[in-house]
């Protein structure tokens, strides 16, 4: 493990990175706005579960393969892009569903929310490349077991992301309960989210291969 100053820097950097809006934050906020804080928390847990897959994969060398193999990166990139595009188109074509905020939130299949959050994250090769590029910077060259150090730092990173992601879920649910304009615009939120997901999918599909 790194020394305390390095560990604190790692934690602070992780918080800043998790505060940056992206597909994961968008997914959490969308579910929390539509179905309440519980759905947002479940979405966050699905996303963090996907991050654990990348951490374990990086620790055993799969991410190194993605960084070194043009074919592996391209295959996973297109799978992830296709999934993001599918989610975006689905949101764009969704029908308006009236919300009854006085009764709480719209019913939602929490397992489906979790599963989609997990797939949104685990099918994005950029996350694998990120962990491979970010975490090793905080592993001492003389560390006797670099794979174990990677796993521990990945665990810290993912656990530290939970307060940020839960905070996004809580704020979105709070806004849905108290801001009437949010309720009136909920139908268009799906459209906006759909456009963003399509954009994320296209950006991923058009991303340069890190292996030249």
């Amino acid at each position: 493990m790194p020394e305390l100053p390095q560990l604190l820097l790692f934690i602070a950097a992780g918080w800043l990175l998790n505060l940056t809006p992206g597909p994961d934050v968008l997914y959490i906020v969308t579910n929390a706005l539509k179905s309440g804080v519980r759905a947002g928390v479940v979405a966050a847990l699905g996303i963090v579960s996907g991050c654990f897959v990348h951490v374990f994969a990086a620790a055993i060398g799969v991410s190194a393969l993605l960084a070194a193999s043009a074919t592996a990166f391209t295959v996973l990139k297109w799978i992830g892009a296709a999934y993001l595009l599918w989610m975006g188109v689905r949101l764009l074509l969704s029908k308006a569903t009236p919300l009854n905020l006085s009764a709480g939130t719209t019913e939602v299949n929490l397992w489906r929310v979790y599963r989609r959050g997990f797939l949104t994250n685990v099918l994005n090769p950029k996350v694998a490349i990120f962990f491979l590029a970010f975490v090793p910077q905080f592993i001492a060259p003389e560390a006797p077991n670099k794979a174990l150090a990677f796993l521990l730092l990945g665990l810290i990173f993912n656990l530290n992301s939970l307060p940020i992601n839960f905070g996004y879920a809580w704020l979105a649910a709070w806004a849905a309960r108290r801001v009437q304009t949010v309720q009136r615009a909920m139908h268009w939120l799906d459209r906006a989210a759909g456009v963003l997901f399509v954009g994320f999918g296209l950006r991923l599909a058009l991303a340069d291969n890190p292996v030249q």
Side-chain angles (χ1 to χ4, degrees), residues 11 16 21 23 38 40-41 56 58 62 64 84 98 106 108 121 128 133 136 138 142 156 174 195 202:
I11 292 172
L16 288 174
R38 185 171 63 167
V41 167
F56 283 110
V62 172
L84 288 172
T106 57
V108 64
N121 187 279
F138 298 88
E142 65 276 9
I156 291 171
W174 180 89
V195 170
L202 291 174

Side-chain angles (χ1 to χ4, degrees), residues 55-56 58-61 135 139-140 143-154:
V55 168
F56 283 110
I60 63 176
V135 176
I139 298 176
N145 192 330
K146 293 182 174 59
L148 179 59
F150 195 108
L151 287 174
L152 290 174
L153 287 172

Side-chain angles (χ1 to χ4, degrees), residues 34-52:
K34 293 178 64 177
S35 304
V37 66
R38 185 171 63 167
V41 167
V42 170
L45 291 174
I47 287 166
V48 170
S49 298
C51 285
F52 276 113

Side-chain angles (χ1 to χ4, degrees), residues 27 83 86-87 90 112-120:
Y27 185 73
Y83 182 75
W86 174 80
M87 286 197 66
R90 184 177 175 278
R112 183 180 301 169
V113 171
Y114 175 87
R115 185 175 68 248
R116 288 177 177 167
F118 175 82
L119 291 174
T120 297

